[in-house]
């Protein structure tokens, strides 16, 4: 199985930004955790992080026909980006939306998610472990037999 993990704006600053919300661990720690899990499960995984909406759209388009699943934390673009929603709709790759924090119990504006309209599942408030839950969900539901 081939999975693409996309992280949106400011997630490169994990470990530095709002530690009381996002924790002490860095973006590299997150990647390492996911890589270790995928190695153990024999899943091929690639990572992409960008602070730019269009770059994320480009990466989703490039994933067409290449990846079997996408795990995306669109960060602030969750709440604003119709372009990311449309790109995910276009490529039709099963996508799990992840948020490190419990977005439903924060500011009102974080309760709206465009990506939720296309995601097969949304995982929020599990910290970094949410990415692993997302990959497990894709494995259990979208693993191809061949
Ligand atoms: C986030 C939640 C978003 O509201 C926020 O803009 C982020 C991170 C999360 O992982 O909890 O940057 O997606």
């Amino acid at each position: 199985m081939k999975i693409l993990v996309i992280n949106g704006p400011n997630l490169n600053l994990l470990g530095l930004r709002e530690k009381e919300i996002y924790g002490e661990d860095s973006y590299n720690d997150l990647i390492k955790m996911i890589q270790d899990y995928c190695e153990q499960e024999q899943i091929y995984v690639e990572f992409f992080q960008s602070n730019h909406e269009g770059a994320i759209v480009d990466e989703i388009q490039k994933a067409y026909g290449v990846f079997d699943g996408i795990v995306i934390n669109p960060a602030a673009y969750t709440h604003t980006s119709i372009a990311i929603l449309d790109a995910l709709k276009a490529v039709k790759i099963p996508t799990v939306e992840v948020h490190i924090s419990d977005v439903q119990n924060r500011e009102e504006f974080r309760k709206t998610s465009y990506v939720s309209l296309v995601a097969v599942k949304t995982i929020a408030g599990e910290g970094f472990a949410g990415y692993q839950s997302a990959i497990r969900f894709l494995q259990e539901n979208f693993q191809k037999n061949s």
Side-chain angles (χ1 to χ4, degrees), residues 79-94:
H79 320 298
T80 60
S81 181
I82 298 167
I84 291 175
L85 167 67
D86 284 349
L88 290 169
K89 277 187 170 176
V91 297
K92 291 200 179 85
I93 299 171

Side-chain angles (χ1 to χ4, degrees), residues 9 17 22 73 75-76 79 99-101 103 106 110:
R17 73 181 286 218
Y22 301 111
N73 182 347
H79 320 298
H99 300 286
I100 295 164
S101 67
V103 276
R106 296 181 61 192
R110 292 188 205 273

